[in-house]
Amino acid sequence: SDLGEKPIKELEACRGAAAELGFLDDVQVDKAGGSKYDPRWCYVESGKPKFDESGTNKGKCNKFDTCLCFEPQWPGFVRTEPQGECRTETGSIGTFALKKLSPADCSADCQKDPACVAFETGPEEEQHCEIHTEPVTKGTGSLIRDCWLKYAVSSTTTTVVTEAPITEEQMEAASGQVAKLRNEVLGRSQELLDRAVAMGAFDWQLEEL
């Protein structure tokens, strides 16, 4: 459909793509090329995978001649599921600016625009580009449009705090506080023990001793 996909120009890659899609027949190689109706490179016609070895066919991808291509990859973006025209959560077309740009240029334009949250493209020759500034979540399922969502990238800054070294005076003061706290705890424990003995809680232990 020429939405920024990369054509498969190698026969073995075409065979691999056909096998992955479940075609049992081997790829038919067209060595002559130059067809006015069939598309270039790797495609499927009448349920059979074919390969234009010379890359000189002049036809377009369509429902009769389905092109097999590598998926487009736009760094920083992910394609909607399903693909198609961009739509918001409620199904509306959202807010966008329409431009005449190729899929690659449309991607670059959205990437550098902080307000852009997604872009929509069409076939290369249409130069269809929508720069969306309202959040979109899905596509319509159309095969002649592609909607790509910009990744939400967050930047995390880590601040390292370096503490000043502890002085000898501070160490002595801290040790004194620890010792004081320890004596208070021990004194309180002894007081509780004395009360328990006075109340007879440990009479059985004292008798055994």
Side-chain angles (χ1 to χ4, degrees):
S1 60
D2 197 19
L3 296 173
E5 297 93 338
K6 303 293 184 183
I8 298 175
K9 299 182 179 181
E10 301 293 334
L11 177 57
E12 288 308 310
C14 185
R15 283 180 172 142
E20 188 174 336
L21 292 171
F23 291 101
L24 301 179
D25 295 331
D26 191 19
V27 175
Q28 297 180 11
V29 180
D30 175 14
K31 294 183 177 294
S35 169
K36 294 181 179 179
Y37 308 105
D38 295 329
R40 294 193 302 164
W41 308 116
C42 187
Y43 64 99
V44 176
E45 181 181 48
S46 301
K48 296 184 180 299
K50 298 185 177 183
F51 185 71
D52 169 31
E53 190 173 56
S54 64
T56 57
N57 284 351
K58 298 176 173 58
K60 295 184 179 297
C61 306
N62 52 56
K63 63 181 180 180
F64 303 108
D65 295 315
T66 305
C67 296
L68 301 185
C69 304
F70 294 114
E71 286 280 358
Q73 298 293 326
W74 306 123
F77 296 90
V78 60
R79 179 188 259 164
T80 57
E81 283 292 339
Q83 71 179 81
E85 292 95 339
C86 294
R87 291 293 183 266
T88 66
E89 185 64 37
T90 60
S92 72
I93 60 175
T95 304
F96 62 89
L98 183 61
K99 301 185 177 184
K100 289 186 70 66
L101 295 172
S102 68
D105 290 339
C106 192
S107 165
D109 195 78
C110 181
Q111 186 68 267
K112 68 183 181 183
D113 184 355
C116 180
V117 296
F119 71 93
E120 178 186 307
T121 62
E124 183 87 23
E125 65 272 11
E126 284 188 8
Q127 300 284 289
H128 173 88
C129 173
E130 295 180 7
I131 300 296
H132 285 256
T133 52
E134 181 180 347
V136 297
T137 59
K138 55 193 172 184
T140 60
S142 169
L143 297 180
I144 60 170
R145 290 286 184 269
D146 243 351
C147 183
W148 294 83
L149 307 178
K150 184 186 284 186
Y151 287 141
V153 180
S154 61
S155 115
T156 303
T157 303
T158 303
T159 303
V160 178
V161 178
T162 304
E163 295 183 355
I166 299 176
T167 65
E168 191 172 328
E169 291 79 8
Q170 290 174 323
M171 285 289 291
E172 291 179 358
S175 298
Q177 290 177 353
V178 171
K180 180 181 178 182
L181 180 61
R182 179 175 177 275
N183 291 334
E184 289 178 356
V185 171
L186 290 176
R188 182 61 175 167
S189 298
Q190 185 61 49
E191 180 183 347
L192 293 174
L193 180 60
D194 292 343
R195 287 185 182 180
V197 171
M199 295 172 63
F202 295 106
D203 285 350
W204 62 275
Q205 292 184 3
L206 295 174
E207 289 173 2
E208 288 183 358
L209 294 173

